[in-house]
Amino acid sequence: MNRFSKLFIGGCLIGASFFVACQQEPAEEAQNATKATEDKAPAAKKELEMNEPSELALLMRSMYDRNLALKKQIMDGDIPESFPEDFLNIHTAKANEKLNETFDALAKEYIKNMEAITKAENRAEGIEAYNNMVGTCASCHTIYCQGPLPKIRKMRIQEGES
C-alpha cells in the first residue's frame, strides 16, 4: 500500500470514529437532561396567577369597542356631537400599576382628541381627529401595557379606506 492510501484510510477511520462519537453525545446528553429533570420533578406545578382587570383596564376595553363603532360612524360621514361621558374617567379609574404625570398628560391629550372629533366639520377632519386619538392611545400603550398595541394600531382609518 502506498503512502497516500495509508493516509486516506487513516483519515477515514479518524473521521468515522469522530462521527460515531458525535452521534453518541447527544443521546447521552438527552439521557442526562431527562435524569436531571426527573430529580427535580415532583415539585408542585406553579399555577398561573391572573390579575383581576383594573377599573382602568375595563374602561379601556369599553373605550376600544366604542371607538371601533365610532370609526365606522366617522367613515360613514356621521360626525358625533359628543363622546361618552365615562371616557372622562380615564383620569380617575384605578390601575394595576403606578401611573405618573406622563399618563396624565396622554390622558388629557386623548380627551382633547375625542373633543376634536366632535368639532370636526366634515368626514376628512373627523378621520384626522380620530387617527390622532388612536395615535395618542398607541403612544400611551408604548409606555404602559404594550399588549393591546397591535389591536390599537389596527383601529386607524387608512387613506382610501371606506
Side-chain angles (χ1 to χ4, degrees), residues 4-51:
F4 176 74
S5 296
K6 288 180 184 177
L7 285 173
F8 178 75
I9 292 172
C12 288
L13 289 174
I14 291 171
S17 62
F18 177 74
F19 177 75
V20 170
C22 288
Q23 293 303 310
Q24 290 174 347
E25 286 179 24
E28 289 171 14
E29 288 174 16
Q31 192 174 26
N32 291 339
T34 302
K35 176 142 177 50
T37 304
E38 288 170 357
D39 292 343
K40 295 178 187 175
K45 289 185 179 180
K46 190 174 184 178
E47 299 260 341
L48 290 178
E49 294 180 26
M50 298 292 289
N51 289 335

Side-chain angles (χ1 to χ4, degrees), residues 9 11 19 58 60 63 68 72 74 80 84 138 144 152 160:
I9 292 172
F19 177 75
L58 293 172
M60 288 188 176
M63 292 162 78
L68 285 180
K72 181 175 177 359
I74 292 170
Y144 305 97
I152 291 168

Side-chain angles (χ1 to χ4, degrees), residues 34-125:
T34 302
K35 176 142 177 50
T37 304
E38 288 170 357
D39 292 343
K40 295 178 187 175
K45 289 185 179 180
K46 190 174 184 178
E47 299 260 341
L48 290 178
E49 294 180 26
M50 298 292 289
N51 289 335
E52 288 293 317
S54 68
E55 286 178 16
L56 185 59
L58 293 172
L59 174 63
M60 288 188 176
R61 289 174 188 166
S62 172
M63 292 162 78
Y64 172 80
D65 291 337
R66 290 187 280 174
N67 282 327
L68 285 180
L70 178 62
K71 174 182 179 177
K72 181 175 177 359
Q73 184 180 350
I74 292 170
M75 289 174 59
D76 290 343
D78 183 17
I79 305 299
E81 293 179 17
S82 64
F83 62 92
E85 288 291 316
D86 66 321
F87 283 20
L88 296 171
N89 293 339
I90 192 170
H91 298 290
T92 58
K94 301 258 187 283
N96 283 342
E97 64 182 280
K98 178 86 171 119
L99 303 174
N100 59 23
E101 60 278 348
T102 303
F103 177 84
D104 292 335
L106 289 166
K108 286 177 186 171
E109 186 69 20
Y110 173 81
I111 297 299
K112 183 178 135 191
N113 288 328
M114 289 302 295
E115 289 170 346
I117 292 170
T118 64
K119 294 175 182 170
E121 304 261 334
N122 55 48
R123 182 178 186 269
E125 285 180 15

